[in-house]
Amino acid sequence: MNDPLQLIMKEIEQALGDFQTTNMERVVTILSSATRVFVAGEGRSGLMAKAFAMRLMHLGADVYVVGETITPSIQNGDVLIAVSGSGVTKSTVWMAEKARQLGCPVLAFTTDVASPLAQKASCIVYVPAATKYRRDHEKASIQPLSSLFDQCIHIILDAICLQYAEMKQVEHKQAFSQHSNLD
């Protein structure tokens, strides 16, 4: 096997090279006007969603991770970020459906714009990467399962954080002041 790090970087570069940034500004605008932000996802997609929630908290957003014990009910004025590479994860699709029923926008991050999750979304961010299903429309990947999607979504969500910080005029020093200080 060639250098695995170089192979992974090449896959990420190819996938993100095909990423359309058109909906990113819309996502930032929706996040900026939301009362509260809720993030949802399962498995590694859920971990990427949690990382996004943490960074949004550092940037001053009122943000919650669905399923945590301190997460309140979602209400009108709030927004749900739903992350699922396949777009078929039942719990994530159900959360999106419930949020829409309650009048909340759903921002879906997925590889499948025709998926059940995408059908529930107010805004779809298409991530051109591979999932564990290796569908025909997905990028090829030597990595196991949804690793390429997880890597790409992490970078995309960090880019959204950069735009959010710029819109909210949050600089490093302010963000750092929100960082955990009990460690």
Side-chain angles (χ1 to χ4, degrees):
M1 174 184 265
N2 293 331
D3 179 3
L5 183 58
Q6 291 303 315
L7 293 171
I8 290 169
M9 294 297 291
K10 183 176 180 183
E11 285 190 0
I12 294 168
E13 184 177 351
Q14 288 174 342
L16 292 180
D18 291 339
F19 178 70
Q20 299 294 316
T21 60
T22 41
N23 277 341
M24 286 179 59
E25 192 169 315
R26 184 171 174 213
V27 167
V28 172
T29 300
I30 292 169
L31 288 174
S32 296
S33 63
T35 305
R36 299 176 300 178
V37 177
F38 290 75
V39 299
E42 296 296 324
R44 283 177 49 132
S45 293
L47 292 173
M48 298 304 106
K50 284 181 178 185
F52 181 55
M54 179 186 210
R55 190 62 74 228
L56 284 177
M57 178 274 299
H58 292 146
L59 298 173
D62 191 4
V63 60
Y64 296 93
V65 175
V66 176
E68 297 293 326
T69 57
I70 61 161
T71 302
S73 62
I74 192 168
Q75 299 175 9
N76 197 358
D78 298 334
V79 63
L80 176 69
I81 301 286
V83 181
S84 172
S86 66
V88 299
T89 307
K90 288 182 188 312
S91 58
T92 307
V93 172
W94 181 87
M95 288 179 237
E97 184 176 339
K98 183 70 173 174
R100 285 300 296 267
Q101 288 172 357
L102 295 168
C104 300
V106 174
L107 311 180
F109 292 79
T110 184
T111 66
D112 188 354
V113 297
S115 68
L117 177 61
Q119 292 171 13
K120 306 289 184 228
S122 316
C123 177
I124 303 164
V125 177
Y126 169 66
V127 180
T131 68
K132 62 187 170 220
Y133 296 109
R134 298 300 199 262
R135 298 176 183 138
D136 289 340
H137 71 274
E138 295 178 4
K139 294 278 186 202
S141 179
I142 62 163
Q143 300 180 71
L145 304 168
S146 296
S147 291
L148 182 58
F149 172 79
D150 301 328
Q151 293 152 355
C152 290
I153 193 66
H154 183 78
I155 293 168
I156 291 165
L157 293 173
D158 271 355
I160 288 170
C161 285
L162 276 177
Q163 288 181 292
Y164 181 87
E166 183 178 342
M167 181 179 272
K168 292 288 194 173
Q169 298 180 334
V170 179
E171 295 184 13
H172 172 78
K173 188 174 181 177
Q174 290 170 275
F176 186 69
S177 74
Q178 295 299 314
H179 194 276
S180 174
N181 60 3
L182 291 177
D183 44 8

